[in-house]
Amino acid sequence: MNKVILMGRLTRDPDVRYSQSGLAIARYTLAVDRRFVRSNEGGDQQTADFISCVVFGKGAEFAEKYLHQGTKIAASGRIQTGSYTNRDGQKVYTTEVVVDDQEFAESKNAAAQSLGGGYRQESRPAPSAAVDDGFMNIPDGVEDEGLPFN
């Protein structure tokens, strides 16, 4: 079985490109905490692994629209290895996670606090006031397909 589940922060905005057929392809790197690393002083130190990820189609379009540097996400998929020959004639081996599913791992408020206000608010119509049942109405102009929970 080849299944990977990661939680981390994007190290930069996703690099999104489109194939000749119009398929969106997004690439990003996740900084994933590695909890305990023993230091020479006897204490524990936290470090991170930087995992290359690629996502296709609707997932790539989601990444382009909603994911930015510092966004904390949970992603699941599979590990894929490959190789190519570079310009110098040397064989280069690659390992990346092909993402099948990705979702936010923290609220907008938590993201704004943990990033020192670095959260980037998209320019969207303001939602209308909450009705008595506690739910907010989705404003006109927001497409259902773009919402992260569809």
Side-chain angles (χ1 to χ4, degrees), residues 2-21:
N2 184 353
K3 181 76 172 176
V4 175
I5 301 171
L6 301 170
M7 184 178 296
R9 294 189 184 276
L10 273 72
T11 61
R12 58 184 162 74
D13 289 354
D15 177 24
V16 182
R17 299 179 186 195
Y18 289 84
S19 69
Q20 289 179 348
S21 65

Side-chain angles (χ1 to χ4, degrees), residues 23-37:
L23 177 70
I25 304 165
R27 293 184 181 281
Y28 53 79
T29 301
L30 280 181
V32 178
D33 289 339
R34 189 185 314 161
R35 294 257 164 128
F36 299 105
V37 175

